[in-house]
Amino acid sequence: MSESSRDTAEGAGWGAAERGTYRRLMPHGVEKISWLDPRMLWAARNGVLASWFGDPTGGTRARWVAQREAAGAPADKVIRRDDPDRFSFLVIGDTGEGGEPQYAVVPGLLREGRDTAFAVLASDVIYPVGSADDYGAKFFRPYRDYRAPIYAIPGNHDWYEDLGGFMRVFCGDAPPLPPGPRPRPLTRAWLRSLLWHRPRAGDGGRLEEARTMRSA
């Protein structure tokens, strides 16, 4: 039985590697995510707004599903692969801060996952709000040397811009959703819409450049 990462550094895949070498993988000028920073709290305000004024995510999800079905996505959404009966894969979760906590585990992940068939990134791919232009430093760069497909499940932070960045990256560069129905004035939904965080103009302009890091 292999050692556990709970017990030894070797079990986490570090081996004899020099500590701190992961910093060479990181981009310069990484923005630090701090949930004590009022700017971060304001950017991620949609979670609070949804709890106060009602959560529109179910309707947004239904509109994405309808758009993908209209584009020819299979109804069962099952990923079919020609893998043998036995294979291994990685599961990674809550990754996308783009700073040292994310990059520090990459050397061990690459070592332990070198023979895996694919990886599943389970929730919160990109902090704080799932912006498309954050995918370069927080997804494509840290996993550029992982030579297998990566599938993903969105978390609440990926939904804070109505899943637009996630859908572009993981669902065939899906076009933006058209605007939903306008809420009636002076309703809870109307109040929510006045404060709702939306993608900044031009978001995703650096996405094509970022894709080159995992072009295969």
Side-chain angles (χ1 to χ4, degrees):
M1 178 181 293
S2 61
E3 294 179 304
S4 169
S5 60
R6 295 179 181 272
D7 301 323
T8 67
E10 288 74 14
W14 285 105
E18 179 187 347
R19 306 299 169 84
T21 55
Y22 65 86
R23 293 190 180 95
R24 300 171 191 166
L25 306 173
M26 297 175 63
H28 297 291
V30 173
E31 181 183 26
K32 184 174 178 59
I33 299 289
S34 171
W35 298 113
L36 299 177
D37 185 339
R39 296 173 303 165
M40 294 295 172
L41 295 175
W42 177 245
R45 64 188 178 272
N46 286 3
V48 175
L49 293 174
S51 68
W52 287 352
F53 301 116
D55 190 349
T57 304
T60 305
R61 182 184 290 111
R63 289 162 57 216
W64 275 121
V65 170
Q67 177 172 295
R68 297 298 296 145
E69 288 179 343
D76 62 12
K77 309 297 188 296
V78 175
I79 298 170
R80 293 178 171 82
R81 297 172 53 86
D82 296 326
D83 288 318
D85 292 337
R86 295 176 62 86
F87 58 89
S88 59
F89 61 96
L90 291 172
V91 178
I92 322 166
D94 275 323
T95 56
E97 290 194 359
E100 292 197 15
Q102 179 174 12
Y103 280 85
V105 300
V106 169
L109 179 146
L110 294 175
R111 178 183 170 187
E112 295 302 304
R114 61 189 177 276
D115 297 323
T116 51
F118 59 90
V120 176
L121 213 168
S123 85
D124 291 335
V125 181
I126 301 294
Y127 286 106
V129 293
S131 299
D133 275 335
D134 283 344
Y135 271 85
K138 301 178 181 182
F139 174 74
F140 289 104
R141 186 183 184 100
Y143 309 121
R144 61 185 173 181
D145 293 325
Y146 179 66
R147 303 299 182 186
I150 299 177
Y151 305 110
I153 302 167
N156 59 309
H157 288 268
D158 302 302
W159 278 100
Y160 286 169
E161 291 192 349
D162 292 335
L163 211 64
F166 182 97
M167 295 296 290
R168 289 188 64 178
V169 171
F170 292 105
C171 297
D173 214 6
L177 279 180
R182 292 183 134 210
R184 288 183 293 109
L186 303 180
T187 61
R188 294 172 71 212
W190 178 78
L191 289 171
R192 181 186 65 219
S193 70
L194 295 180
L195 297 171
W196 198 250
H197 170 88
R198 293 178 175 84
R200 63 186 180 275
D203 183 50
R206 299 191 296 271
L207 194 52
E208 286 308 310
E209 179 183 356
R211 287 183 200 274
T212 62
M213 289 185 273
R214 279 187 53 85
S215 59

